[in-house]
Amino acid sequence: SSFHDAVSPVMEVPHGNDQTLYLFSILRDGLSYLALCPAEVSPLLILEFLHRVADIFADYFGSPTDESAIKDNFSTVYQLLEEMVDYGWPLTTEPNALKALIRPPSVISKIHSVVTGGSNAIVSEALPSGTVSNMPWRAAGVSYNQNEIYIDIVEEIDAIIDATGNVVSSDVSGSVQAQSQLSGVPDLLLTFKEPDIMDDCSFHPCVRYGRFEADQVVSFVPPDGNFELMRYRVRNSVLQGFHPPLFVTPQWSFATDAGGEMAGRVVLTVGVRSMSSLILSASRNKGPIAVEDVSVTMPLPKSVKTADITVNMGTVLYDEAAKIAKWTLGKLDSTKKPQLQATLKMEGTKKPEANPNLWLAWKIPLASVSGLSVSGLSVTGETYRPYKGVRNIAKSGKFVVRGT
């Protein structure tokens, strides 16, 4: 991922005599998605479409959608791209409409393809019902015995932390993820306690934008299944005094060994801060904060020949070719004091010019950076009363700890 971050998402490539091609790229689950355009177009349109393609693949094949998932389902991938792109322009990108055209792969379809030697992509001849209505995201005739909708407010924190633990810069982007299993054609109204916290909002096509502009409420007829209702950025005024929930203390040292070659030693200490600026949900159990899915990615200098890495907690995987160590800790609280120690043998006698930066990943359920919360979720247009669940999740985005 550090290599991909050095590559611009939009590149100009010379082609022929005085011609230019535009190459767009994103990285998802270790796969690069590329799009080539012969003329200037809106970059955000192409990048958003590539992300939508990756989202559809994850919906069809499960997450992570890596190289093996694409190879195992190549015929379905081909059929999806046929429907999603028409003569170079995005066409059908709604999951419900695509699933009505191309069924997701199942165990039975895979067995059928092995027995017959054919494709496991089952393509419908009929148009999906949504394509001829004014709600292409909503399938017709949806029915459930148990009607329920779940809302997750997920906030991702991008931050740069210096080696002493001080926050150099931070930015928070949020999304409202929904899982809808509602019969018929329900009309939903979602209201927030402090909508002024949100800035630069963008919405799923199902949202009535004029209503949000006028009243700062989200009125919509939801798609069926999982979808992203909206995205937003947290205003900078809310982020003043942000303190991350974790700390990482890197200690690097280099010296010449008895043979005259450079050798290094690294000690990483990770811990949960007793005081954090995160706002915890009222439904959360009292007690110390438990941080989930904790991992530290540590690139090593390219001059490293061998690395002997030990940890007192979790597991560590070292990619010798890429010179990257990933330390997976899982769940962590303030009572645990994990530590990583590494002894490095280097090529040559020169000390590295700078200590590498560390990448920290974590997630805390029932916590928020901004304190944004739902004040109401009402359903009209149907007679049933659905079960409704709402929760907050705070997690790391690009969370970098400087090595120097």
Side-chain angles (χ1 to χ4, degrees), residues 78-85 91-92 98 101-102 123:
Y78 185 85
Q79 294 290 349
L80 284 170
L81 292 176
E82 281 277 294
E83 297 297 337
M84 295 182 75
V85 186
L91 182 63
T92 306
L98 287 168
L101 287 165
I102 304 164
V123 182

Side-chain angles (χ1 to χ4, degrees), residues 297-315:
T297 302
M298 177 177 68
L300 297 179
K302 296 302 179 186
S303 57
V304 170
K305 287 194 296 185
T306 61
D308 180 20
I309 305 174
T310 59
V311 294
N312 67 350
M313 180 181 167
T315 58

Side-chain angles (χ1 to χ4, degrees), residues 227 258 311 340:
F227 65 99
V311 294
L340 176 147

